[in-house]
Amino acid sequence: MKVTAIGTGYVGLVTGACLAEMGNHVVCLDVNPEKIRILNDGEIPIHEPGLLEVVRRNVAAGRLQFTTDVDMAVKHGTILFIGVGTPPDEDGSADLQYVVAAARSIGQRMTDYKVIVDKSTVPVGTADKVRAAVKEELVKRGLGDMAYAVVSNPEFLKEGAAVDDFMKPDRIIVGSDDEQATLLMRALYAPFNRTQDRMLVMDVRSAEFTKYAANAMLATRISFMNELALLAEKVGADIELVRRGIGSDPRIGYQFLYAGAGYGGSCFPKDVKALVKAASDAGIPLKVLTAVEEANERQKRVLVDKVVERFGDDLKGRRFAIWGLAFKPNTDDMREAPSLVIIDELTKRGATLAAYDPVSMPETARVLGARDDVTLVQRAEAALQGADALLIVTEWKEFRTPDFDGIKAALKAPVVFDGRNLYEPKLMKTLGIEHHGIGRPAAS
């Protein structure tokens, strides 16, 4: 099938590359010429494991190409995916200007039946806005009777595992009220449904709502466990043991029950805010999700609170090592990353920092800019030299079994603030390392 993906970020590029992998002829469009230059040079503008290989393989096979030519891209695809950004507006609502602009571009150029697919995370009612924008442009051209369909097909891709999530989906949500569009979507996704039909077809508004509801539920689980972790510390319980205890209940399960330094990224913070704002506009305040958001903002400061409790509020002359800067492992995404809050809070108190991340150093440098109080180093060990303590912020695999003797030797004193509960307190105690986890007994 002929497919166009509008936008070459996490959503558009992964969608386009994976659909090409299944034999479709895909054109990926972006208005940013630098992104297209990078892609045409055989690289990708984001860090996503496995994606570069898929892109190169399908470019070589002639099934995948990249362009800034809007006319060509719209003409090419029978199915056009809109995968552009929907950043939060000042009031927390999703900014749909790029989605609507993409819809207008399609309406200004289409000459035959198109299935226009909202792939970006968008609030309920976005399909109506897209449909109206396309219709308005067609009417201007005297083509008001031209048939087209607008479908909601939200993505459920985890950064760091997006290719696997697309190729092996646990569900494919399609919101459609057009029979022909539904048949085309079924045909497009048939290769992903060979062993089991994972496609759930529903009305468009329910599909739009499903994406927000899923992310809100996962964010709620994270904030719930983080709040329990704060209480566990006060009452002398171990949140890791509690997690195993409740996770063994099949009604609960183990996923997204890890206490830590808070969630970040491009999805959970933005989507929770957008859902809260949409509910407020509808006159239905969402008290649980409001608390989820507040709890997460507090959790991003938990490691700082522990540092202050240990070293005092005045941190002038103190130097701390930070391991992990991206909001999660296997990505370079720094959006809403807890590390940014931690860096800001520690440096405001006079501390200097040496920070390391296996992947996100260039992105961190771009986000932070030139600073005298934060040094970005190229090796984890280099961050430790002469530091008063080590802070673990992101749970990269390479941090799980470090050289503990090396850590002790490099730090001024063997103090570790473990923001992802990577290390067992009892083991750290036997190693002579002062360990402060999240919701776990402190080992001095």
Side-chain angles (χ1 to χ4, degrees), residues 291-413:
V292 165
E293 186 179 9
E294 292 172 354
N296 190 60
E297 289 306 307
R298 177 176 64 178
Q299 198 68 19
K300 289 182 178 181
R301 291 167 169 78
V302 164
L303 278 188
V304 176
D305 293 341
K306 291 178 179 291
V307 169
V308 168
E309 184 178 357
R310 173 64 172 76
F311 291 100
D313 192 61
D314 184 358
L315 298 176
K316 292 184 180 68
R318 298 286 186 184
R319 180 180 178 86
F320 298 99
I322 293 181
W323 282 2
L325 297 164
F327 88 93
K328 64 178 286 188
N330 298 320
T331 180
D332 63 349
D333 197 339
M334 292 293 295
R335 286 173 288 185
E336 300 282 346
S339 63
L340 297 176
V341 174
I342 293 168
I343 288 170
D344 184 53
E345 292 293 328
L346 291 178
T347 54
K348 278 198 309 188
R349 290 170 169 81
T352 58
L353 310 173
Y356 167 77
D357 188 282
V359 167
S360 72
M361 302 302 280
E363 181 64 9
T364 303
R366 185 192 69 81
V367 171
L368 291 181
R371 296 182 58 157
D372 295 333
D373 49 7
V374 181
T375 302
L376 302 180
V377 297
Q378 298 304 313
R379 292 169 52 250
E381 295 79 8
L384 301 171
Q385 300 302 318
D388 290 277
L390 166 64
L391 282 70
I392 309 285
V393 182
T394 312
E395 64 274 30
W396 287 91
K397 288 182 179 178
E398 70 177 72
F399 301 153
R400 293 183 181 275
T401 53
D403 176 2
F404 289 110
D405 289 336
I407 291 175
K408 288 176 63 177
L411 295 175
K412 287 182 181 178

Side-chain angles (χ1 to χ4, degrees), residues 123-321:
V124 175
T126 299
D128 294 338
K129 292 182 172 64
V130 168
R131 189 177 290 108
V134 174
K135 183 73 171 181
E136 184 179 334
E137 297 302 327
L138 288 174
V139 169
K140 289 179 183 177
R141 298 168 57 207
L143 300 173
D145 293 332
M146 181 173 288
Y148 63 97
V150 178
V151 169
S152 175
N153 175 219
E155 54 85 13
F156 295 96
L157 307 176
K158 298 185 295 293
E159 289 186 37
V163 173
D164 281 346
D165 286 346
F166 198 101
M167 300 300 288
K168 302 173 184 177
D170 48 25
R171 80 282 206 199
I172 302 167
I173 304 294
V174 173
S176 173
D177 54 13
D178 183 288
E179 184 177 357
Q180 184 178 354
T182 302
L183 290 173
L184 286 171
M185 294 298 287
R186 284 196 179 278
L188 182 66
Y189 280 116
F192 306 92
N193 286 305
R194 293 183 64 83
T195 59
Q196 177 186 345
D197 186 3
R198 297 175 173 83
M199 182 175 288
L200 300 174
V201 179
M202 58 186 71
D203 65 275
V204 174
R205 285 183 169 242
S206 294
E208 292 171 331
F209 201 162
T210 296
K211 170 62 176 180
Y212 274 110
N215 279 354
M217 174 60 79
L218 297 175
T220 299
R221 285 170 69 96
I222 294 170
S223 283
F224 176 74
M225 287 303 291
N226 282 336
E227 290 223 299
L228 291 187
L230 299 180
L231 179 59
E233 289 185 16
K234 297 296 184 183
V235 301
D238 187 332
I239 198 64
E240 271 296 293
L241 300 179
V242 174
R243 178 186 67 81
R244 295 171 201 168
I246 65 174
S248 61
D249 185 331
R251 297 171 300 174
I252 298 173
Y254 291 102
Q255 291 192 336
F256 289 86
L257 289 185
Y258 291 89
Y263 61 75
S266 62
C267 294
F268 289 0
K270 172 177 69 70
D271 294 352
V272 170
K273 285 182 174 69
L275 195 52
V276 168
K277 178 61 169 62
S280 176
D281 291 345
I284 307 292
L286 300 182
K287 296 182 180 180
V288 171
L289 285 187
T290 300
V292 165
E293 186 179 9
E294 292 172 354
N296 190 60
E297 289 306 307
R298 177 176 64 178
Q299 198 68 19
K300 289 182 178 181
R301 291 167 169 78
V302 164
L303 278 188
V304 176
D305 293 341
K306 291 178 179 291
V307 169
V308 168
E309 184 178 357
R310 173 64 172 76
F311 291 100
D313 192 61
D314 184 358
L315 298 176
K316 292 184 180 68
R318 298 286 186 184
R319 180 180 178 86
F320 298 99

